[in-house]
Amino acid sequence: MKISASFLSIKEDIQNKIKKLDDSNIDYIHLDIMDNIFVPNITFNFNEMNELLKDTKHMKDVHLMVKDVKSYINDYKNLNPEFITFHLEAVDNVKEIIDYIKSFNIKVGISIKPNTKVEELLEYLPLIDLVLVMSVEPGFGGQKFMANSIEKLEKLYDIKKENNYHYLIEVDGGINSDNVKFLNKADILVVGSYITNSDNYEEAINNLRW
Ligand code: DX5
Ligand code: ZN
């Protein structure tokens, strides 16, 4: 199981804390990108994000919670991320966006919100590298984990096995040392406040690993 660390909930001394996160035993840095349209919140713009992350060594896991997906891909491809993930609910040209991300040799993820069913993803599953199941409504860190995500992880795991698909399964939102035991079908856990609100990042990360 891999950990993708979100710094969305870090509100002060951000650069230093990102460095501390990057020096910890994580696998990816998770970038929460918002536009105040697809979700009712906004974070850093691309230049600020680029500046904050410029000295980090971990691979980037970009989570676009935006409506105008293509224009954000045009920016974030420049960080050379491992994955760019967009929301199924944000676009009506899903296949075109998949191909667009692939054209930059970046792995493609699709995310679904808590009320979106796995079934809506079926036709895209053979084409993508990652499925991101939201276990909170996207937009804010520090929310409560929603248990309906567990069933979706299991379904995605079974579909993957049955069809020999290659996508990784990722889950994002409200993850902590108590609910992590239900998430063993996921390959990547996105964890924000449980790590960044703790005094000891390394200890928090170790509590999540099984
Ligand atoms: C929510 C974001 C998540 C979130 C994770 O919109 O996509 O990445 O920040 O943070 P926690 O772990 O605090 O829910
Ligand atoms: Zn996220």
Side-chain angles (χ1 to χ4, degrees), residues 17-82:
K17 288 185 178 166
I18 288 178
K19 164 105 178 76
K20 205 167 99 176
L21 211 49
D22 190 51
D23 287 339
S24 313
N25 179 23
I26 59 170
D27 300 286
Y28 304 96
I29 296 182
H30 182 82
L31 280 61
D32 286 305
I33 316 297
M34 310 185 190
D35 62 356
N36 217 4
I37 300 171
F38 182 71
V39 290
N41 193 11
I42 194 149
T43 53
F44 306 104
N45 66 33
F46 178 71
N47 289 335
E48 292 166 332
M49 204 58 113
N50 196 19
E51 182 61 25
L52 280 173
L53 296 169
K54 66 177 188 316
D55 296 322
T56 57
K57 55 183 183 291
H58 280 94
M59 289 184 287
K60 312 292 178 285
D61 169 31
V62 173
H63 178 194
L64 298 180
M65 290 166 273
V66 303
K67 184 83 192 139
D68 184 8
V69 173
K70 261 195 179 171
S71 77
Y72 285 81
I73 295 169
N74 290 339
D75 280 338
Y76 283 90
K77 69 173 167 45
N78 297 309
L79 295 182
N80 200 19
E82 179 76 0

Side-chain angles (χ1 to χ4, degrees), residues 20-159:
K20 205 167 99 176
L21 211 49
D22 190 51
D23 287 339
S24 313
N25 179 23
I26 59 170
D27 300 286
Y28 304 96
I29 296 182
H30 182 82
L31 280 61
D32 286 305
I33 316 297
M34 310 185 190
D35 62 356
N36 217 4
I37 300 171
F38 182 71
V39 290
N41 193 11
I42 194 149
T43 53
F44 306 104
N45 66 33
F46 178 71
N47 289 335
E48 292 166 332
M49 204 58 113
N50 196 19
E51 182 61 25
L52 280 173
L53 296 169
K54 66 177 188 316
D55 296 322
T56 57
K57 55 183 183 291
H58 280 94
M59 289 184 287
K60 312 292 178 285
D61 169 31
V62 173
H63 178 194
L64 298 180
M65 290 166 273
V66 303
K67 184 83 192 139
D68 184 8
V69 173
K70 261 195 179 171
S71 77
Y72 285 81
I73 295 169
N74 290 339
D75 280 338
Y76 283 90
K77 69 173 167 45
N78 297 309
L79 295 182
N80 200 19
E82 179 76 0
F83 308 103
I84 294 183
T85 298
F86 64 96
H87 269 267
L88 183 69
E89 305 87 357
V91 300
D92 43 29
N93 53 345
V94 177
K95 288 212 167 106
E96 189 186 325
I97 302 290
I98 292 173
D99 288 340
Y100 194 61
I101 297 172
K102 283 187 179 172
S103 75
F104 303 110
N105 262 323
I106 295 168
K107 292 180 183 151
V108 182
I110 302 185
S111 182
I112 51 172
K113 299 205 287 183
N115 288 331
T116 304
K117 294 189 165 61
V118 164
E119 285 69 21
E120 295 177 47
L121 277 175
L122 287 181
E123 65 177 297
Y124 310 114
L125 292 178
L127 310 173
I128 61 180
D129 304 295
L130 179 132
V131 178
L132 171 53
V133 173
M134 290 305 298
S135 42
V136 296
E137 284 298 335
F140 299 90
Q143 302 183 78
K144 193 175 174 304
F145 176 82
M146 293 167 78
N148 77 339
S149 58
I150 298 169
E151 204 179 302
K152 293 186 189 182
L153 300 177
E154 284 163 1
K155 211 174 255 183
L156 284 163
Y157 184 88
D158 290 344
I159 295 172

